[in-house]
Structures are given as C-alpha cells and as structure tokens.
Amino acid sequence: MSTADAHGDGEGSALAQQLHSALSAAGDTVAVAESLTGGLLAAELVAAPGASGTFRGSVTAYATDLKASVLGVDTGLLAAEGAVHPQVALQMAEGVRRLMGASYGVATTGVAGPEPQDGKPVGTVHIAVAGPQGSTVSSPLLSGGRVTIRRRTVTAALELLRQQLSPPGDAASGR
C-alpha cells in the first residue's frame, strides 16, 4: 500500500515530502507540538521519505497542564483563555522548537468536536509555526466531523510551514 493510500489523500504526503526536501536543502529541521491533531501531524511527516534527516520529534500535549509543564505555555494565558487560543498555539510552537532544538516548531490546537470546548465552537483551529524568520499563526474555522477537522488541520499546518520555508516573493510558493 502506498503512503497516499495509507493516509487517504496523496496531497499531505506529497507535501510532507516536499517539505523534507526543502528543509534538507536548507540544512533545517522541524519538530511538532500537537493537541487537536493528537499525533497525526507527526505521523504525516514521518511517513514521507526523508523524514529521518529533518524531523526532530514531537510532543502530543493533549492535556492542558502538559502544554505548560512540557512546552512552556504561560499558565496565566491558559487560565485566562483556555487551551484553544492563537497565543497558546504560538507558545506551543516556540516551546517545541526550543525543546527539540529544531529550526522550526509547528503546533496545533483547537476543537474537533463533537462538542464545543471552553466556549469555542467545533472547528475552531489555531496553527502556529515558529522559525528563524519569526513566528506566524493561522486560525481557520474548519467544518466537518471530528476526523475531517483533524485531517484538514494537518494539511493546513503543512501548508503554513511551506509558506514559512518559502522566502517572500518566491515565485515557487505562488499560494
């Protein structure tokens, strides 16, 4: 069975492979911190050829307290805003980057459902990338069921990393 067959869509694995190639060419590495995606992002990156040269590791911090104790997310922020917040995603990305000694940290947090969480509706997602050029957060509102939201979050996280890897004005990024 091909990687595309195993994951149900060829886009993610092809994108992950492109990311590994770009990271390798630049001498860079990536690490991920996941909540909402529960390891799916790491699995997508590891499934692609070239992962061993550029993927440092991952933390699945599903429990809120682990976001603080392992990744260094501010406890005051977590108490005030909950785990589903753009600044939480940003601090997760920065924390995993530092923890794993990676060039880039990518993080996901959000609500996959079936019920809202901390007053946030199902489909609320925050994705962050922290890297040498700075950090960025994307907050798409995704639709669909739990599985669909988690898969779309993985793809969106890979896309956000690709944008960070492409220098501004790079015609190849085109998206």
Side-chain angles (χ1 to χ4, degrees), residues 3-162:
T3 302
D5 293 335
H7 291 284
D9 73 11
E11 180 182 346
S13 17
L15 180 52
Q17 191 168 352
Q18 292 170 9
L19 290 169
H20 287 305
S21 295
L23 288 163
S24 181
D28 286 333
T29 58
V30 64
V32 299
E34 300 182 71
S35 183
L36 163 75
T37 49
L40 288 176
L41 179 56
E44 189 76 14
L45 286 165
V46 168
S52 62
T54 59
F55 184 71
R56 295 282 299 158
S58 66
V59 172
T60 301
Y62 210 67
T64 300
D65 63 309
L66 291 177
K67 290 170 181 65
S69 65
V70 176
L71 296 170
V73 176
D74 182 83
T75 55
L77 173 64
L78 290 167
E81 301 293 342
V84 181
H85 190 271
Q87 275 301 118
V88 171
L90 183 62
Q91 290 183 19
M92 289 172 65
E94 292 168 346
V96 80
R97 178 179 182 226
R98 183 176 51 253
L99 181 67
M100 301 281 178
S103 309
Y104 292 88
V106 181
T108 64
T109 188
V111 184
E115 300 296 324
Q117 176 185 333
D118 297 331
K120 311 286 186 346
V122 172
T124 302
V125 172
H126 304 291
I127 304 161
V129 175
Q133 299 85 17
S135 302
T136 188
V137 178
S138 174
S139 298
L141 183 58
L142 302 177
S143 61
R146 184 174 174 79
V147 172
T148 301
I149 289 169
R150 292 174 72 222
R151 289 297 311 154
R152 287 181 178 165
T153 301
V154 168
T155 301
L158 294 173
E159 288 285 355
L160 190 61
L161 177 58
R162 176 166 57 182

